[in-house]
């Protein structure tokens, strides 16, 4: 199956997202019809009665090591963050972060023109040109959400040490991030007009 | 034997790109490895 | 005229060539034990039916044994002459991973150079797989267990971030 997928990886990704969305909707509908309100009951009910839907559901827990083990260590290595924060140089960090890879990052939507997006938090499973495709831990089931970069501000944190909860917090202005992640690697960000980002100041 | 000897450089150019390649390679290895609970059909997608 | 330059090379975080074959701490002792406990006894037997243990020396039989789940939980020793020139590299390459992925516990024991000569009577490519059931000498088993490290494939066990290993390759370019 690798040949087929590699040839049309974009189509395979779209199919994956659509199949996850479809199975999520079916699953929420079944939960509503059967008046199931908590996670354990729902997953045991699905595993027993609707194994096909249960199989197709995305699992948030499978992506957590991607963030905790891989992405955090990568970004700490990139910013050469040691436990003593004094050595971090802010501006060079921003330049490196603008070229970094965000597949596997845990992002949270802090500001957005679309009010229903605010507060969504999830792990990036694909950083496309105009969207961050996140897997979100839901109350009943995990979902795949495509968050548009346009008109959205994302936030992520880099914990400094495992003991206390001190962390570095950065914001990503989605409007300035609408490039494919590979193109961003070699791109130099210049200061540009910002009349399209008044939402960032207003609310 | 006609070769101009120069000392090795202290820093490496494009170190960030190497970090990124190293990370993406490990990410793909992690995603491709069969995991408990992962959906079977998604491995090729990884 | 040429000028020396250094090219940065990113090392593959997953090659563990150094540990691909588990380290044998006391190689002469292990080799001595294999000869005295196994090979010398086999040399006097004419056919395989007389072998007092369950052992396989043919490559295909060994691969079949390691990749099929026979339901037995007995640990297995695989002795390989991986340092002798006469053994094709293609056979050797897949053995560590095959042992790691086998359903039973496999102890991979690499033998010293020129061990292939002593194997000629038993196995063509210097491979010997021994099932450690209760017919095998306990002292032999405990010695091998103590002196041979376990197989390790860091990226197949838990996920752990391997830091970036960039090395400089010295080369020259024309001026």
């Amino acid at each position: 199956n690798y040949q087929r997928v590699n040839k049309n990886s974009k189509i395979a990704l779209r199919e994956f997202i659509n199949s996850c969305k479809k199975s999520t909707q079916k699953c929420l509908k079944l939960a509503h019809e059967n008046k199931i309100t908590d996670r354990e009951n729902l997953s045991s009910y699905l595993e027993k009665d609707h194994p096909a839907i249960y199989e197709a559901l995305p699992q948030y827990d499978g992506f957590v090591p991607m963030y905790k083990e891989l992405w955090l260590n990568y970004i700490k290595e990139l910013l050469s963050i040691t436990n003593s924060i004094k050595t971090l140089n802010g501006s060079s960090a921003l330049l490196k972060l603008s070229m970094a890879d965000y597949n596997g990052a845990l992002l949270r939507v802090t500001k957005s023109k679309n009010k229903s997006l605010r507060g969504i938090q999830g792990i990036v499973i694909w950083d496309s040109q105009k969207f961050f495709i996140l897997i979100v831990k839901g109350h009943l089931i995990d979902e795949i959400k495509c968050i548009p970069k346009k008109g959205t501000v994302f936030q992520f944190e880099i914990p400094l040490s495992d003991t206390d909860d001190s962390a570095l917090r950065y914001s990503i202005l989605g409007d300035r991030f609408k490039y494919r992640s590979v193109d961003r690697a070699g791109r130099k960000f210049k200061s540009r007009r910002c009349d399209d980002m008044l939402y960032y100041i207003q609310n | 034997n006609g070769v101009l000897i120069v000392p090795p450089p202290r820093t490496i150019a494009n170190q960030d790109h190497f970090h990124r390649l190293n990370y993406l390679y490990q990410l793909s290895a992690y995603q491709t490895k069969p995991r408990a609970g992962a959906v079977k059909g998604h491995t090729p997608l990884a | 005229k040429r000028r020396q330059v250094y090219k940065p090379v990113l090392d593959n975080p997953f090659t563990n060539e150094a540990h691909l074959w588990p380290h044998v701490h006391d190689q002469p002792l292990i080799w001595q034990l294999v000869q005295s406990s196994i090979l010398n006894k086999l040399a006097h037997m004419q056919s395989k039916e007389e072998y007092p243990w369950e052992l396989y020396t043919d490559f295909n039989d060994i691969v079949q044994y390691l990749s099929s789940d026979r339901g037995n939980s007995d640990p297995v020793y695989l002795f390989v002459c991986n340092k002798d020139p006469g053994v094709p590299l293609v056979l050797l390459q897949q053995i560590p991973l095959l042992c790691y992925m086998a359903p039973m516990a496999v102890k991979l024991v690499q033998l010293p150079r020129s061990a292939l000569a002593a194997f000629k009577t038993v196995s063509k490519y210097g491979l010997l797989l021994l099932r450690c059931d209760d017919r095998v000498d306990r002292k032999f088993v405990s010695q091998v267990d103590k002196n041979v490290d376990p197989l390790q494939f860091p990226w197949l066990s838990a996920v752990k971030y391997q830091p970036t290993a960039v090395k400089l390759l010295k080369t020259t370019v024309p001026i």
Side-chain angles (χ1 to χ4, degrees):
Chain A
N1 208 1
Y2 280 102
Q3 283 71 25
R4 183 185 67 79
V5 169
N6 277 343
K7 199 153 37 78
N8 321 320
S9 50
K10 200 177 285 189
I11 297 171
L13 180 60
R14 188 171 63 228
E15 282 165 7
F16 167 69
I17 293 169
N18 293 339
S19 75
C20 286
K21 285 190 178 224
K22 248 184 240 125
S23 51
T24 308
Q25 276 153 16
K26 278 183 208 157
C27 180
L28 291 173
K29 190 159 160 274
L30 284 168
H32 180 68
E33 284 162 4
N34 295 281
K35 295 182 181 44
I36 299 175
T37 55
D38 71 316
R39 204 181 174 87
E40 281 65 34
N41 291 356
L42 181 58
S43 43
S44 52
Y45 163 71
L46 284 175
E47 203 161 0
K48 196 162 31 67
D49 298 1
H50 302 273
I53 297 180
Y54 183 72
E55 263 291 305
L57 283 177
Q59 310 283 341
Y60 180 84
D61 299 336
F63 291 92
V64 171
M66 187 168 138
Y67 163 65
K68 273 200 175 9
E69 272 303 320
L70 294 176
W71 189 78
L72 278 183
N73 288 307
Y74 155 65
I75 219 74
K76 283 182 184 172
E77 186 187 37
L78 186 72
L79 301 182
S80 47
I81 289 180
T82 54
N83 284 338
S84 66
I85 181 56
K86 292 167 232 13
T87 57
L88 185 72
N89 170 355
S91 57
S92 80
L94 291 181
L95 178 68
K96 289 183 175 182
L97 285 172
S98 64
M99 294 157 60
D101 199 281
Y102 288 90
N103 292 308
L106 179 68
L107 297 184
R108 192 158 59 85
V109 178
T110 49
K111 288 185 170 59
S112 173
K113 279 180 183 168
N114 175 348
K115 292 188 175 45
S116 63
L117 294 182
R118 284 180 206 158
I120 290 179
Q121 167 164 311
I123 295 179
V124 177
I125 58 172
W126 183 250
D127 171 5
S128 75
Q129 179 163 359
K130 294 197 172 58
F131 288 85
F132 272 122
I133 297 165
L134 306 180
I135 183 162
V136 179
K137 181 126 188 132
H139 167 62
L140 272 179
I141 49 167
D142 307 335
E143 296 186 57
I144 296 256
K145 290 189 182 289
C146 301
I147 310 289
K149 294 179 180 176
K150 184 173 171 48
T152 312
V153 176
F154 302 88
Q155 208 164 64
F156 64 91
E157 294 186 351
I158 304 171
L160 289 180
S161 62
D162 306 338
T163 50
D164 58 352
D165 57 357
S166 60
L168 286 172
R169 176 180 287 176
Y170 290 96
S171 292
I172 295 177
L173 302 180
D175 287 281
R176 295 294 177 265
F177 241 61
K178 287 184 288 189
Y179 309 102
R180 291 186 314 134
S181 63
V182 276
D183 299 339
R184 237 186 13 242
R187 189 180 200 85
K188 293 281 176 274
F189 282 78
K190 299 185 190 64
S191 53
R192 283 175 38 190
R193 49 187 261 274
C194 53
D195 53 359
D196 60 335
M197 297 182 63
L198 293 178
Y199 71 91
Y200 183 61
I201 306 164
Q202 275 148 6
N203 46 14
Chain B
N1 52 353
V3 176
L4 271 181
I5 305 292
V6 296
R10 257 189 295 282
T11 56
I12 291 169
N14 296 329
Q15 179 105 18
D16 306 344
H17 297 176
F18 284 116
H19 285 312
R20 187 187 189 129
L21 274 173
N22 182 51
Y23 168 64
L24 286 175
Y25 188 76
Q26 297 186 48
L27 196 54
S28 62
Y30 169 70
Q31 282 294 356
T32 313
K33 190 176 63 178
R35 284 190 322 269
V39 185
K40 280 185 229 0
H42 299 159
T43 313
L45 181 65
Chain C
K1 286 267 185 244
R2 297 182 72 84
R3 181 164 55 88
Q4 190 178 43
V5 291
Y6 294 84
K7 291 204 183 298
V9 175
L10 175 63
D11 190 6
N12 179 340
F14 295 139
T15 46
N16 60 341
E17 302 307 322
H19 321 292
L20 209 52
W21 294 84
H23 178 62
V24 181
H25 292 283
D26 192 342
Q27 182 82 64
L29 168 71
I30 296 297
W31 177 228
Q32 177 62 35
L33 279 173
V34 170
Q35 283 178 304
S36 56
S37 315
I38 308 280
L39 294 182
N40 295 350
K41 292 182 181 148
L42 297 186
H44 303 307
M45 295 165 194
Q46 305 313 320
S47 69
K48 296 201 175 188
E49 283 63 40
E50 297 171 36
Y51 286 173
W53 312 287
E54 181 179 353
L55 57 85
Y56 302 87
T57 56
D58 181 54
F59 179 75
N60 291 334
D61 297 344
I62 289 174
V63 171
Q64 200 170 12
Y65 186 93
L66 290 179
S67 37
S68 62
D69 191 357
R70 304 186 166 211
N72 71 0
S73 59
D74 289 334
V76 160
Y77 284 164
L78 179 56
F79 299 98
V80 183
C81 305
N82 66 330
K83 296 194 176 72
D84 285 290
V87 187
L89 201 60
V90 173
L91 295 193
L92 294 177
Q93 262 166 355
Q94 46 197 316
I95 286 180
L97 212 48
L98 186 71
C99 296
Y100 186 84
M101 305 299 277
M104 74 289 291
V106 182
K107 181 73 84 171
L108 183 55
V109 185
Q110 53 179 328
L111 297 173
R113 187 176 298 279
S114 74
L116 189 58
F119 265 75
K120 269 310 173 202
T121 55
V122 177
S123 154
K124 185 178 173 196
Y125 286 127
L127 298 168
L128 189 143
L129 182 134
L130 174 69
R131 180 178 164 186
C132 289
D133 46 23
D134 44 19
R135 292 174 287 178
V136 182
D137 177 16
R138 285 295 113 195
K139 282 202 289 302
F140 171 70
V141 169
S142 62
Q143 281 294 342
V144 174
D145 277 343
K146 195 168 63 176
N147 283 287
V148 181
D149 284 348
L151 267 166
Q152 49 173 333
F153 284 90
W155 66 92
L156 283 182
S157 43
V159 62
K160 187 165 170 8
Y161 183 72
Q162 315 281 339
T164 310
V166 183
K167 299 196 171 72
L168 287 172
L169 187 72
K170 201 172 3 182
T171 174
T172 59
V173 293
I175 291 181

